[in-house]
Amino acid sequence: MNETVINGLYIVSAIFFVFGLKMLGKAEQARKGNLISAIGMLIAIVTALISQSVLEWQWIAVGMIAGSIVGALAARLVAMTAMPEMVALFNGFGGAASLLVGWSEYHRYTVTNTYMEANVLSLLIIILTIVIGGATFTGSIVAWGKLSEKIPSKAIQYPGQQFVNVLIAASLIGAAMLFGPLRESLNVDSYILVIVTIVIACILGITFVIPIGGGDMPVVISLLNSFSGMAACAAGFVISNNVLIVAGALVGSSGIILTNIMCKSMNRKLTNVLFSGFGATKASTGGGFQGEAKPVSVEDAYLMLEAASNVLVVPGYGMAVAQAQHAIQELAAQLEENGAEVNFAVHPVAGRMPGHMNVLLAEANVPYEQLKEMEDVNPTIENVDIVIVIGANDVVNPAARTDETSPIYGMPIIDVDKARTVIVMKRSMNPGFAGIDNPLFFNDNTRMLFGDAKKSTQGLVAEFKG
């Protein structure tokens, strides 16, 4: 195929990526934006395949079939509650793919005996691709383990941790120097050095994510997504594929922007997220945590809601676990039929990945205009008759305002404790994912509706219908 035509198709593909990414910024256009981006990727893949003169099509067919099977099974078998873990795995596989691209390109140098004649910059980019890809892969696997609670979700720290990370980073820099400026004086097998670099990069991913836990995990997922994009961008340079460079740069930059937004939403610096060990220590249990919780039955909660004219729903990960999004949408419809105004307040870091609650509410067909930002609801929350907190904990914890010893002190929260009445749906009094006790549960205006959130919500719906 003509080089001009190939580059033209790559430009069209990149335009699709840019417009699709822009549309993802608005909830009502997100699905269409995802489709447009997918079309752009299809154009890029087809162009890349037909532009190559030598291809082993049987392996391409095997890869397409295997990927299609995995994707179909994931779409059917993975529950919405497991989406954060699935996103973590996607990030990891993206990093692994970039690692393999860099490794295979270096393998081509060794097979053709052109290693010593290779351009220094090309070798450094290959090593960079391997390092970012390997660290992204193992870091994402650790994140998956924490999110799925296969390994402890809290921050895991150990003596000399920073020294170990510095040592690993120095080893990788040394390896890059051996491949780059010092390659002519290299006295060891260069291929063995590649294997060692891969191993060290994978260790770096583990030591990078292990010390992070609790409420910082959504930020880590976003950051790993950015790393997977940067790895893809580096892989694009390795194989001289312009559209891969563009796509990787878009993913990497958007991931960094999202990470920065989430850090601001938590009122924390990225360095603090990465090195503070969130969740490694318990929060203070001072005087603000003393009191007695006030349980409420479904019937009594119904009577309170039936008299309300303004209701705010604050969802959290517990809603995802109970798969209560459809039930809460049905309850909102019943409240509206009863004459109440209903809105949903979504905290930027609610759930275990960016946009987790928005995805669940969209799945339940909650109208976009009912989704409100934290900044929009807090100024007038004193006028809200009832706030329903369904499975949220850390994002409504008033300790963020009052307890200076709390790990989340200073983090902006949804000020539900200032509403006239709060109904908290929880299975028990256990703390949330960050492991921090919540004094909201003991407030005079708080009522605890214990039990499975979906069953409790369905009970409220039945009361309204009755």
Side-chain angles (χ1 to χ4, degrees):
M1 182 184 290
N2 185 280
E3 189 73 21
T4 303
V5 176
I6 293 173
N7 288 329
L9 289 172
Y10 280 160
I11 291 173
V12 171
S13 178
I15 291 173
F16 272 73
F17 290 154
V18 171
F19 277 96
L21 190 62
K22 180 177 176 60
M23 295 176 72
L24 290 176
K26 295 183 178 180
E28 62 271 17
Q29 299 178 341
R31 182 173 293 180
K32 187 180 295 184
N34 199 32
L35 178 61
I36 289 175
S37 298
I39 293 173
M41 181 57 70
L42 177 63
I43 294 172
I45 292 173
V46 172
T47 303
L49 291 177
I50 63 178
S51 65
Q52 300 296 319
S53 57
V54 180
L55 285 175
E56 297 190 27
W57 291 96
Q58 68 272 23
W59 292 111
I60 293 175
V62 169
M64 291 177 62
I65 293 172
S68 299
I69 293 174
V70 172
L73 291 175
R76 292 180 176 274
L77 300 180
V78 177
M80 291 302 294
T81 52
M83 283 304 295
E85 296 97 294
M86 188 174 180
V87 170
L89 287 178
F90 280 165
N91 291 340
F93 290 145
S98 299
L99 183 153
L100 293 175
V101 168
W103 191 356
S104 64
E105 188 67 5
Y106 186 81
H107 180 73
R108 183 178 67 82
Y109 277 132
T110 59
V111 169
T112 57
N113 294 318
T114 57
Y115 166 71
M116 296 305 296
E117 291 76 28
N119 182 276
V120 172
L121 181 60
S122 298
L123 290 173
L124 289 178
I125 292 176
I126 288 174
I127 295 305
L128 183 64
T129 304
I130 289 174
V131 170
I132 299 177
T136 302
F137 172 64
T138 53
S140 298
I141 295 298
V142 173
W144 167 80
K146 284 178 173 283
L147 291 168
S148 60
E149 299 184 355
K150 297 289 192 300
I151 61 177
S153 60
K154 67 178 183 179
I156 300 175
Q157 296 184 309
Y158 52 87
Q161 179 175 295
Q162 302 303 330
F163 173 77
V164 170
N165 288 337
V166 169
L167 184 62
I168 293 173
S171 300
L172 290 173
I173 293 173
M177 292 293 291
L178 290 174
F179 279 104
L182 301 179
R183 76 184 195 278
E184 292 184 359
S185 59
L186 189 64
N187 294 319
V188 298
D189 189 325
S190 61
Y191 206 88
I192 293 177
L193 190 58
V194 169
I195 303 299
V196 171
T197 302
I198 292 173
V199 172
I200 296 175
C202 291
I203 293 174
L204 177 63
I206 297 173
T207 60
F208 175 74
V209 179
I210 277 289
I212 308 170
D216 284 337
M217 288 309 297
V219 180
V220 174
I221 294 298
S222 178
L223 188 61
L224 288 170
N225 177 250
S226 177
F227 286 173
S228 69
M230 289 188 286
C233 182
F237 279 105
V238 167
I239 61 175
S240 300
N241 187 290
N242 293 331
V243 75
L244 185 56
I245 295 172
V246 172
L250 287 172
V251 173
S253 58
S254 61
I256 286 292
I257 292 171
L258 179 58
T259 301
N260 186 51
I261 291 172
M262 297 184 71
C263 286
K264 287 183 177 179
S265 299
M266 298 172 67
N267 195 31
R268 303 181 71 199
K269 295 181 180 179
L270 181 58
T271 52
N272 186 248
V273 171
L274 298 180
F275 304 117
S276 68
F278 189 108
T281 58
K282 294 288 288 183
S284 169
T285 54
F289 294 76
Q290 297 174 356
E292 183 177 350
K294 304 169 186 64
V296 66
S297 65
V298 170
E299 292 76 14
D300 290 338
Y302 157 72
L303 294 175
M304 297 163 65
L305 290 168
E306 196 272 337
S309 59
N310 189 333
V311 177
L312 181 68
V313 180
V314 180
Y317 184 69
M319 183 184 76
V321 173
Q323 300 184 36
Q325 60 268 25
H326 295 282
I328 203 69
Q329 189 276 334
E330 190 176 1
L331 176 61
Q334 292 294 323
L335 287 166
E336 289 178 325
E337 285 186 17
N338 194 50
E341 177 188 354
V342 181
N343 291 299
F344 291 76
V346 181
H347 193 282
V349 295
R352 296 189 182 178
M353 74 174 185
H356 195 184
M357 295 299 102
N358 300 76
V359 171
L360 292 174
L361 295 175
E363 182 197 22
N365 297 317
V366 172
Y368 297 125
E369 57 271 15
Q370 288 187 352
L371 301 182
K372 305 296 181 182
E373 300 289 340
M374 174 176 57
E375 296 81 5
D376 297 330
V377 299
N378 275 346
T380 58
I381 202 164
E382 293 89 349
N383 301 323
V384 175
D385 290 329
I386 295 180
V387 174
I388 301 176
V389 178
I390 177 167
N393 189 22
D394 306 316
V395 298
V396 296
N397 192 334
R401 297 195 316 263
T402 60
D403 185 4
E404 295 185 6
T405 65
S406 173
I408 62 171
Y409 180 72
M411 183 182 90
I413 62 167
I414 300 175
D415 298 323
V416 300
D417 57 307
K418 298 180 181 180
R420 291 171 182 147
T421 304
V422 183
I423 297 177
V424 179
M425 293 186 183
K426 277 181 68 70
R427 291 181 180 272
S428 67
M429 294 292 290
N430 291 335
F433 190 60
I436 303 170
D437 293 327
N438 194 339
L440 171 71
F441 304 156
F442 308 110
N443 281 6
D444 292 336
N445 64 336
T446 300
R447 300 295 181 269
M448 303 295 297
L449 183 53
F450 291 114
D452 180 81
K454 183 177 181 179
K455 292 181 179 179
S456 297
T457 307
Q458 289 173 336
L460 291 170
V461 171
E463 291 289 332
F464 271 103
K465 291 182 176 180

